[in-house]
PDB file of all heavy atoms in Angstrom:
ATOM      1  N   SER A  94     103.458 313.610 184.021  1.00 98.00           N
ATOM      2  CA  SER A  94     104.050 314.893 183.626  1.00 98.00           C
ATOM      3  C   SER A  94     105.525 314.753 183.267  1.00 98.00           C
ATOM      4  O   SER A  94     106.177 315.739 182.933  1.00 98.00           O
ATOM      5  CB  SER A  94     103.921 315.899 184.775  1.00 98.00           C
ATOM      6  OG  SER A  94     102.603 315.954 185.229  1.00 98.00           O
ATOM      7  N   GLY A  95     106.060 313.534 183.429  1.00 98.00           N
ATOM      8  CA  GLY A  95     107.473 313.330 183.115  1.00 98.00           C
ATOM      9  C   GLY A  95     108.412 313.787 184.216  1.00 98.00           C
ATOM     10  O   GLY A  95     109.572 314.124 183.948  1.00 98.00           O
ATOM     11  N   VAL A  96     107.925 313.801 185.467  1.00 98.00           N
ATOM     12  CA  VAL A  96     108.804 314.157 186.593  1.00 98.00           C
ATOM     13  C   VAL A  96     109.120 312.875 187.371  1.00 98.00           C
ATOM     14  O   VAL A  96     108.218 312.155 187.800  1.00 98.00           O
ATOM     15  CB  VAL A  96     108.112 315.185 187.530  1.00 98.00           C
ATOM     16  CG1 VAL A  96     108.979 315.461 188.757  1.00 98.00           C
ATOM     17  CG2 VAL A  96     107.809 316.474 186.779  1.00 98.00           C
ATOM     18  N   ASP A  97     110.404 312.632 187.545  1.00 98.00           N
ATOM     19  CA  ASP A  97     110.877 311.405 188.167  1.00 98.00           C
ATOM     20  C   ASP A  97     110.544 311.381 189.672  1.00 98.00           C
ATOM     21  O   ASP A  97     110.743 312.371 190.373  1.00 98.00           O
ATOM     22  CB  ASP A  97     112.407 311.396 187.959  1.00 98.00           C
ATOM     23  CG  ASP A  97     113.026 310.119 188.443  1.00 98.00           C
ATOM     24  OD1 ASP A  97     112.434 309.059 188.186  1.00 98.00           O
ATOM     25  OD2 ASP A  97     114.091 310.195 189.082  1.00 98.00           O
ATOM     26  N   CYS A  98     110.036 310.260 190.184  1.00 98.00           N
ATOM     27  CA  CYS A  98     109.766 310.172 191.624  1.00 98.00           C
ATOM     28  C   CYS A  98     109.916 308.729 192.103  1.00 98.00           C
ATOM     29  O   CYS A  98     109.883 307.787 191.309  1.00 98.00           O
ATOM     30  CB  CYS A  98     108.370 310.693 191.953  1.00 98.00           C
ATOM     31  SG  CYS A  98     107.014 309.775 191.214  1.00 98.00           S
ATOM     32  N   VAL A  99     110.106 308.593 193.415  1.00 98.00           N
ATOM     33  CA  VAL A  99     110.151 307.268 194.057  1.00 98.00           C
ATOM     34  C   VAL A  99     109.196 307.322 195.239  1.00 98.00           C
ATOM     35  O   VAL A  99     109.183 308.309 195.981  1.00 98.00           O
ATOM     36  CB  VAL A  99     111.583 306.935 194.560  1.00 98.00           C
ATOM     37  CG1 VAL A  99     111.587 305.644 195.368  1.00 98.00           C
ATOM     38  CG2 VAL A  99     112.560 306.841 193.393  1.00 98.00           C
ATOM     39  N   VAL A 100     108.405 306.264 195.419  1.00 98.00           N
ATOM     40  CA  VAL A 100     107.484 306.205 196.558  1.00 98.00           C
ATOM     41  C   VAL A 100     108.014 305.206 197.581  1.00 98.00           C
ATOM     42  O   VAL A 100     108.322 304.056 197.234  1.00 98.00           O
ATOM     43  CB  VAL A 100     106.062 305.763 196.118  1.00 98.00           C
ATOM     44  CG1 VAL A 100     105.099 305.833 197.296  1.00 98.00           C
ATOM     45  CG2 VAL A 100     105.549 306.609 194.960  1.00 98.00           C
ATOM     46  N   LEU A 101     108.106 305.644 198.849  1.00 98.00           N
ATOM     47  CA  LEU A 101     108.524 304.755 199.941  1.00 98.00           C
ATOM     48  C   LEU A 101     107.327 304.508 200.850  1.00 98.00           C
ATOM     49  O   LEU A 101     106.779 305.457 201.425  1.00 98.00           O
ATOM     50  CB  LEU A 101     109.634 305.413 200.768  1.00 98.00           C
ATOM     51  CG  LEU A 101     110.936 305.726 200.049  1.00 98.00           C
ATOM     52  CD1 LEU A 101     111.879 306.489 200.988  1.00 98.00           C
ATOM     53  CD2 LEU A 101     111.600 304.439 199.570  1.00 98.00           C
ATOM     54  N   GLU A 102     106.910 303.269 200.994  1.00 98.00           N
ATOM     55  CA  GLU A 102     105.753 302.923 201.814  1.00 98.00           C
ATOM     56  C   GLU A 102     106.182 301.888 202.848  1.00 98.00           C
ATOM     57  O   GLU A 102     106.777 300.867 202.497  1.00 98.00           O
ATOM     58  CB  GLU A 102     104.630 302.375 200.920  1.00 98.00           C
ATOM     59  CG  GLU A 102     103.523 301.615 201.620  1.00 98.00           C
ATOM     60  CD  GLU A 102     102.759 302.428 202.677  1.00 98.00           C
ATOM     61  OE1 GLU A 102     102.314 303.544 202.376  1.00 98.00           O
ATOM     62  OE2 GLU A 102     102.617 301.918 203.808  1.00 98.00           O
ATOM     63  N   MET A 103     105.854 302.135 204.127  1.00 98.00           N
ATOM     64  CA  MET A 103     106.371 301.225 205.151  1.00 98.00           C
ATOM     65  C   MET A 103     105.633 299.885 205.195  1.00 98.00           C
ATOM     66  O   MET A 103     106.188 298.889 205.612  1.00 98.00           O
ATOM     67  CB  MET A 103     106.348 301.899 206.518  1.00 98.00           C
ATOM     68  CG  MET A 103     104.999 302.117 207.116  1.00 98.00           C
ATOM     69  SD  MET A 103     105.225 302.812 208.768  1.00 98.00           S
ATOM     70  CE  MET A 103     103.552 302.843 209.336  1.00 98.00           C
ATOM     71  N   ARG A 104     104.376 299.882 204.756  1.00 98.00           N
ATOM     72  CA  ARG A 104     103.590 298.639 204.826  1.00 98.00           C
ATOM     73  C   ARG A 104     103.807 297.804 203.570  1.00 98.00           C
ATOM     74  O   ARG A 104     104.407 298.278 202.600  1.00 98.00           O
ATOM     75  CB  ARG A 104     102.104 298.966 204.938  1.00 98.00           C
ATOM     76  CG  ARG A 104     101.757 299.815 206.115  1.00 98.00           C
ATOM     77  CD  ARG A 104     101.715 298.975 207.360  1.00 98.00           C
ATOM     78  NE  ARG A 104     101.152 299.730 208.456  1.00 98.00           N
ATOM     79  CZ  ARG A 104     100.695 299.158 209.567  1.00 98.00           C
ATOM     80  NH1 ARG A 104     100.754 297.856 209.738  1.00 98.00           N
ATOM     81  NH2 ARG A 104     100.204 299.897 210.527  1.00 98.00           N
ATOM     82  N   ASP A 105     103.212 296.584 203.579  1.00 97.00           N
ATOM     83  CA  ASP A 105     103.313 295.801 202.348  1.00 97.00           C
ATOM     84  C   ASP A 105     102.131 296.113 201.425  1.00 97.00           C
ATOM     85  O   ASP A 105     101.183 296.794 201.814  1.00 97.00           O
ATOM     86  CB  ASP A 105     103.460 294.289 202.634  1.00 97.00           C
ATOM     87  CG  ASP A 105     102.247 293.737 203.352  1.00 97.00           C
ATOM     88  OD1 ASP A 105     101.169 294.349 203.258  1.00 97.00           O
ATOM     89  OD2 ASP A 105     102.380 292.704 204.020  1.00 97.00           O
TER      90      ASP A 105
END
Side-chain angles (χ1 to χ4, degrees):
S94 309
V96 175
D97 185 42
C98 63
V99 173
V100 185
L101 298 175
E102 163 60 51
M103 70 176 185
R104 302 281 190 163
D105 63 22

